[in-house]
Amino acid sequence: MEEKKLDLNSIIGFILIFGILVYMMYTNQPTPEEVEAQEKAKQEQVEAEQKVKEIEAETTKTTVAEDFSAAAVTDSTQLVALSNKLGAFAYASTLPSATDQETLVESDLLSLKFSNKGGYLSEVKLKKFVNYDSIPIYIIKDGNAAFNINFSTTDNRTLNTKDLFFEPTVTKNGDNTVVSMKLKVSPTQFLEYRYELKPDDYMMDFTIRSQGLSQVINSSQEVNLDWRLKTYRHAKSISYENRYTDLHYDYEDGKDDYLGQMEDEETIQDVSWIGYKQHFFSSALLTDTPFKTVHLASKNLVEDEQIDTVFTKSFVSKLPLELQGGELNANMDWYYGPSDYKILDAYQRNLDELIPLGWGIFGWINRYVFIPLFGFLSGFLPHGIAIIIMTILVRIVMSPVTYKSYVSQAKMKVIKPEIAEINAKFKDNAMKKQQETMALYSKAGVSPMAGCLPAFLQLPVFYALFQFFPSAFDLRQKPFLWAEDLSSFDTIYKFPDGFSIPFYGDHISLFPILASLAIFFYMKMTTGQQMASQPTQEGMPDMGKMMKYMIYFSPIMMLFFFNNYASGLSLYYFISNLITIGIMLVIKKYIIDEDKIHAKIQENKKKPKKENRFQKKMKDMMEQAEKQKQQKK
């Protein structure tokens, strides 16, 4: 409030002084001779002042007060106002760099702009990439990012670097380009942001340091860094891109986690890096010394994808900076680049965790099998063909599992009449019926779980591929057949503007239709076999009806779910199900002979079957329970 009053008083003073001067000039108009003399004197005064300024510019000042006398701002009232508002940091506002100018620096990969006001990156362009609409990829542009240090001074002021002016200098360090942004208190006292940009590298060194500010910055108060970013939409489907846009972080020496899709906040200890991951592009701030406590926040900005078409999410990180001897000295790194597993993994700083490859065994399969395999195939084949070849290889490797599953179903089908006979014979005795059924399974060498186990073994592979295709940066903007971009949905028909089917979208994609048809015929084959082999248990739900519904429900669900997904994933499922259908037809027609299976089962039934301890114990328990039941009757 005192500062505002002082500013108001200054304005009133200026008005009064100006009024008095006008009155004096009017009442004391000089003669022509006096005017000529005054002009001559004025010119001499200007020349004298210029000489004084040149001398002062060459003289090194040792105090803040002395520096102000050499400042570019000559109006003493303005200097007073700045000093009252900014204290020692008023000096920075008196320099020629105290403008909203930007410094442009480029490498082979990045085009960067640094703002004098705030000293931070005001624009980051990735030079080798464009978005779905052929516009260059900007991670930062037009004020969507903020980078600010909030601190207190020894004269009880609270300042923000985003409001202060930095002085830029650009130099070379070998092949590297160094950008130094200095917030000056004097020529030798400053807060510096130092950026070192390397050729052919998306990672740049970043240092925050101060010099001579131990008596200026209040060390008893926290110094906080605030980094914010609103992520631009880069993909054709904003909802699909938003699904893979999150805030990731690495903490406690190698652990990693991320904030959820909706509005979320967390406070984390010992954080090594923070990553603002968009689907295919990321921003990450890494530190050599972990931040002790970091407050993170994520907010979804897409409520209606017809209206919210510019930004996907808003990310905020608030973290403390430690003073050492009253000075700042934090060594960090910035990453602005593609969310490409190969690039991120090469830094050996756990940044590959930005890519959602799946946890546990799923991530392991992707890292050590599918990523190297697809990288090898796409090195000499078109990406669509590489997907097809990889799918064929996966199905060939998994064919023994498919075979075992189908054989198990065939065995169950063969003994179905005998199961029905047991059900009819012991329909009033559930315990006995269960005993006889288990005995038949044991003698015939058949397990009802044998058909489930192969499917369970295939699950890690299917889920790993489900994670792999949406995360494969190499598929981005790669065409195949009618699909313009294998990392996005393909379109064979676009609905009129404003028309959209809920949960389906405003377009028709062909690859999901083909994949849904393939899975329909696949389920028709496998479910029909299961229905023929699976006896209906009395008192149990009719599994036949449930499976019949699933034949139609699953393809429809897949059709809706995949319409906005990457066409590369739909292509994989289409080819995979086609190959599986082919393998099952070959197995059924040329490999499996149900008569032979039946004969083998009958032969097994004649052989004495050894029981292990568990089977014997279960049998004894069931017999004991049956005896107790009979005694009660």
Side-chain angles (χ1 to χ4, degrees):
M1 289 298 290
E2 290 179 1
E3 292 177 6
K4 290 183 179 179
K5 287 181 181 178
L6 180 60
D7 290 342
L8 183 59
N9 291 336
S10 299
I11 294 170
I12 294 171
F14 278 125
I15 294 172
L16 290 173
I17 293 169
F18 181 73
I20 293 170
L21 286 173
V22 170
Y23 175 77
M24 290 176 64
M25 289 172 65
Y26 179 77
T27 57
N28 296 284
Q29 295 184 35
T31 65
E33 292 78 13
E34 289 175 331
V35 170
E36 184 178 352
Q38 287 175 358
E39 289 293 332
K40 185 177 180 181
K42 185 177 180 182
Q43 182 64 31
E44 291 174 352
Q45 184 180 355
V46 169
E47 291 175 357
E49 287 177 351
Q50 184 64 34
K51 288 181 180 179
V52 170
K53 287 180 181 180
E54 290 174 358
I55 294 171
E56 288 177 340
E58 295 173 359
T59 305
T60 304
K61 306 300 180 180
T62 56
T63 65
V64 174
E66 289 173 337
D67 289 330
F68 277 126
S69 67
V73 178
T74 58
D75 192 308
S76 60
T77 306
Q78 187 178 356
L79 282 174
V80 171
L82 283 170
S83 297
N84 287 333
K85 184 178 181 181
L86 304 176
F89 287 93
Y91 175 78
S93 297
T94 68
L95 299 175
S97 56
T99 64
D100 288 332
Q101 291 181 344
E102 296 176 318
T103 301
L104 173 64
V105 174
E106 296 193 45
S107 71
D108 297 331
L109 304 176
L110 299 169
S111 176
L112 308 174
K113 286 184 180 179
F114 301 85
S115 173
N116 286 10
K117 189 173 184 179
Y120 57 84
L121 281 160
S122 56
E123 184 174 293
V124 175
K125 181 174 78 172
L126 304 185
K127 297 172 68 172
K128 293 195 172 183
F129 305 103
V130 295
N131 69 6
Y132 71 101
D133 211 16
S134 300
I135 296 172
I137 293 292
Y138 288 93
I139 294 180
I140 298 175
K141 190 181 181 183
D142 296 335
N144 71 313
F147 187 83
N148 176 58
I149 295 178
N150 174 270
F151 61 95
S152 298
T153 62
T154 52
D155 54 359
N156 297 321
R157 288 178 173 81
T158 299
L159 300 178
N160 294 284
T161 56
K162 66 182 178 66
D163 301 323
L164 304 175
F165 291 99
F166 288 65
E167 185 178 67
T169 56
V170 180
T171 57
K172 281 287 188 179
N173 181 18
D175 292 332
N176 300 347
T177 302
V178 177
V179 180
S180 172
M181 306 294 292
K182 290 181 179 178
L183 172 59
K184 290 187 172 182
V185 166
S186 77
T188 58
Q189 296 170 279
F190 51 81
L191 171 67
E192 181 187 26
Y193 295 163
R194 184 183 184 277
Y195 306 83
E196 186 163 347
L197 184 63
K198 307 162 192 171
D200 296 316
D201 198 345
Y202 291 104
M203 186 83 75
M204 59 180 161
D205 297 341
F206 176 58
T207 303
I208 299 175
R209 75 180 188 97
S210 65
Q211 179 175 298
L213 298 187
S214 58
Q215 301 302 314
V216 179
I217 297 177
N218 188 349
S219 59
S220 64
Q221 299 292 323
E222 285 189 347
V223 178
N224 292 306
L225 175 60
D226 187 352
W227 174 36
R228 298 168 183 259
L229 180 69
K230 288 200 297 184
T231 54
Y232 278 118
R233 173 249 191 108
H234 296 135
K236 188 160 55 172
S237 171
I238 191 170
S239 59
Y240 181 63
E241 180 180 16
N242 204 21
R243 190 177 292 123
Y244 293 96
T245 300
D246 346 83
L247 193 161
H248 289 246
Y249 53 91
D250 182 270
Y251 67 108
E252 294 181 4
D253 197 24
K255 296 180 182 177
D256 60 272
D257 208 339
Y258 67 98
L259 298 190
Q261 287 293 308
M262 304 308 292
E263 190 164 344
D264 200 0
E265 292 188 30
E266 290 283 352
T267 299
I268 313 298
Q269 309 293 324
D270 297 325
V271 175
S272 301
W273 56 255
I274 302 161
Y276 295 166
K277 178 192 171 292
Q278 298 167 251
H279 188 186
F280 284 125
F281 301 97
S282 293
S283 314
L285 178 63
L286 305 90
T287 176
D288 293 345
T289 304
F291 302 116
K292 286 189 176 179
T293 304
V294 177
H295 180 75
L296 305 172
S298 171
K299 183 179 180 181
N300 182 24
L301 300 179
V302 183
E303 295 182 3
D304 184 342
E305 63 179 283
Q306 301 298 321
I307 300 172
D308 306 318
T309 60
V310 179
F311 300 107
T312 52
K313 283 192 173 67
S314 172
F315 297 134
V316 176
S317 299
K318 296 182 179 180
L319 43 101
L321 295 177
E322 292 189 21
L323 291 167
Q324 300 172 4
E327 302 286 352
L328 286 169
N329 189 17
N331 296 314
M332 293 179 274
D333 297 283
W334 280 116
Y335 177 84
Y336 289 105
S339 303
D340 186 333
Y341 174 82
K342 296 186 293 295
I343 293 174
L344 294 171
D345 185 54
Y347 290 112
Q348 296 296 308
R349 298 182 71 172
N350 211 31
L351 279 175
D352 57 290
E353 293 297 339
L354 283 168
I355 313 301
L357 297 176
W359 53 271
I361 189 173
F362 311 117
W364 186 91
I365 292 172
N366 275 325
R367 283 180 175 85
Y368 302 109
V369 180
F370 292 136
I371 290 177
L373 176 60
F374 186 76
F376 170 73
L377 294 173
S378 61
F380 60 91
L381 293 171
H383 288 75
I385 302 297
I387 290 175
I388 293 173
I389 298 299
M390 188 171 82
T391 307
I392 292 171
L393 293 175
V394 169
R395 294 316 309 167
I396 290 174
V397 170
M398 299 301 294
S399 59
V401 178
T402 305
Y403 172 75
K404 286 183 178 294
S405 177
Y406 203 90
V407 167
S408 175
Q409 293 175 17
K411 287 182 177 180
M412 292 294 294
K413 182 181 177 181
V414 167
I415 65 171
K416 184 178 180 181
E418 297 181 56
I419 297 291
E421 185 180 334
I422 291 173
N423 289 341
K425 185 176 181 180
F426 301 102
K427 63 180 180 179
D428 297 327
N429 192 333
M431 185 70 73
K432 189 66 175 175
K433 180 170 61 177
Q434 184 70 12
Q435 284 180 330
E436 292 297 321
T437 301
M438 295 301 294
L440 174 63
Y441 286 155
S442 179
K443 289 179 181 178
V446 176
S447 171
M449 295 301 295
C452 300
L453 186 60
F456 181 76
L457 292 175
Q458 294 181 73
L459 184 61
V461 175
F462 290 156
Y463 183 76
L465 286 165
F466 181 79
Q467 293 290 103
F468 168 78
F469 283 105
S471 303
F473 187 86
D474 289 344
L475 292 180
R476 186 178 180 273
Q477 297 182 343
K478 297 299 190 299
F480 181 66
L481 299 178
W482 58 86
E484 297 177 352
D485 183 352
L486 285 169
S487 72
S488 185
F489 58 82
D490 63 291
T491 305
I492 59 169
Y493 180 74
K494 181 80 166 59
F495 295 138
D497 291 342
F499 179 78
S500 179
I501 299 175
F503 305 107
Y504 185 72
D506 61 356
H507 63 279
I508 296 175
S509 298
L510 183 54
F511 274 127
I513 294 174
L514 296 175
S516 297
L517 288 172
I519 200 171
F520 170 77
F521 287 111
Y522 166 72
M523 292 188 71
K524 193 83 171 171
M525 290 178 62
T526 57
T527 306
Q529 178 80 351
Q530 289 173 356
M531 288 167 60
S533 63
Q534 199 74 10
T536 302
Q537 298 289 337
E538 189 176 340
M540 298 294 289
D542 190 344
M543 295 302 295
K545 284 186 178 180
M546 293 178 66
M547 289 180 178
K548 196 176 288 185
Y549 292 138
M550 288 299 295
I551 291 175
Y552 299 96
F553 178 73
S554 294
I556 292 173
M557 185 174 70
M558 184 176 186
L559 180 64
F560 274 76
F561 187 75
F562 281 86
N563 195 58
N564 289 297
Y565 256 69
S567 52
L569 182 62
S570 299
L571 172 62
Y572 161 75
Y573 276 113
F574 170 56
I575 300 299
S576 178
N577 284 309
L578 277 185
I579 295 170
T580 304
I581 289 170
I583 290 173
M584 292 181 67
L585 288 173
V586 170
I587 291 172
K588 183 178 181 179
K589 192 168 183 180
Y590 298 106
I591 299 177
I592 289 181
D593 187 330
E594 291 187 2
D595 292 335
K596 287 184 178 180
I597 290 175
H598 185 267
K600 185 72 181 275
I601 288 174
Q602 297 305 319
E603 186 179 336
N604 288 341
K605 287 166 64 176
K606 294 176 184 177
K607 296 177 182 178
K609 191 70 176 177
K610 293 183 179 180
E611 294 178 340
N612 57 37
R613 284 186 184 178
F614 177 75
Q615 290 174 323
K616 190 173 186 307
K617 191 172 184 179
M618 289 296 295
K619 182 180 178 181
D620 292 342
M621 288 174 63
M622 293 176 71
E623 289 176 351
Q624 186 69 24
E626 180 64 20
K627 286 180 181 178
Q628 290 177 357
K629 186 177 178 181
Q630 293 296 332
Q631 288 174 358
K632 286 181 181 179
K633 287 184 177 181

